[in-house]
Amino acid sequence: MAISFDRALGIHPQALEFRAQRAEVLANNLANADTPGFKARDVDFASVMKQQEGVQDTEGQQKLSRTHQQHVSGFIDETADTELLYRVPSQPSVDGNTVDSQREITEFTQNKIAFESSFTFLNSKFKGLSTAIKGQ
């Protein structure tokens, strides 16, 4: 019996990719916190979800499908362009910079926690698969 890694690993590989991309964007915002005129950006998870909700496969079925009652997979498409949006600043600076360092740090920390959660879950999946292959 062949092992389907897509089914075994679920959404977590794509989630790690999404979180890594978002970490780059947030780090770029923090690096430019003092750059005049720099506009803070972020990846909008809700818009990525909405894009995927409207996507249908070749048979006209919604791409979102649950393979198990407690699993959700396939809602992040690696080929889809994730949309970078400009943040609406709560207090824009006089020089036009819209980076709020405290907010960026908070968002970066939340993203890091989500990344680590997916990584831990993925690691446990690999351990489970390894155990199953060894027959222990």
Side-chain angles (χ1 to χ4, degrees):
M1 179 176 192
I3 296 174
S4 170
F5 283 104
D6 288 339
R7 296 187 91 178
L9 301 178
I11 190 170
H12 295 284
Q14 292 86 4
L16 285 177
E17 187 174 318
F18 174 80
R19 295 293 176 193
Q21 180 185 12
R22 186 166 187 237
E24 289 179 23
V25 172
L26 296 173
N28 189 43
N29 288 344
L30 282 169
N32 288 291
D34 294 328
T35 304
F38 183 82
K39 307 291 184 206
R41 301 181 86 181
D42 198 358
V43 179
D44 184 26
F45 185 77
S47 69
V48 172
M49 279 293 294
K50 285 187 178 188
Q51 283 177 348
Q52 296 304 310
E53 287 175 351
V55 174
Q56 295 183 350
D57 64 12
T58 56
E59 298 172 357
Q61 299 291 320
Q62 287 290 330
K63 208 169 179 185
L64 289 175
S65 62
R66 293 167 62 163
T67 57
H68 185 272
Q69 189 174 8
Q70 296 179 337
H71 294 165
V72 176
S73 65
F75 64 79
I76 295 177
D77 185 359
E78 293 177 349
T79 60
D81 291 329
T82 52
E83 190 169 347
L84 282 176
L85 301 175
Y86 291 103
R87 283 187 198 237
V88 176
S90 57
Q91 292 182 333
S93 65
V94 176
D95 64 4
N97 186 309
T98 62
V99 176
D100 178 352
S101 296
Q102 295 298 320
R103 182 176 180 181
E104 298 302 327
I105 291 170
T106 301
E107 295 289 336
F108 192 87
T109 303
Q110 288 176 341
N111 190 58
K112 178 183 177 277
I113 291 169
F115 182 90
E116 288 177 351
S117 296
S118 288
F119 186 79
T120 300
F121 189 82
L122 197 57
N123 194 30
S124 69
K125 286 285 193 176
F126 278 120
K127 285 181 182 175
L129 287 171
S130 177
T131 301
I133 290 170
K134 291 177 183 174
Q136 297 174 341

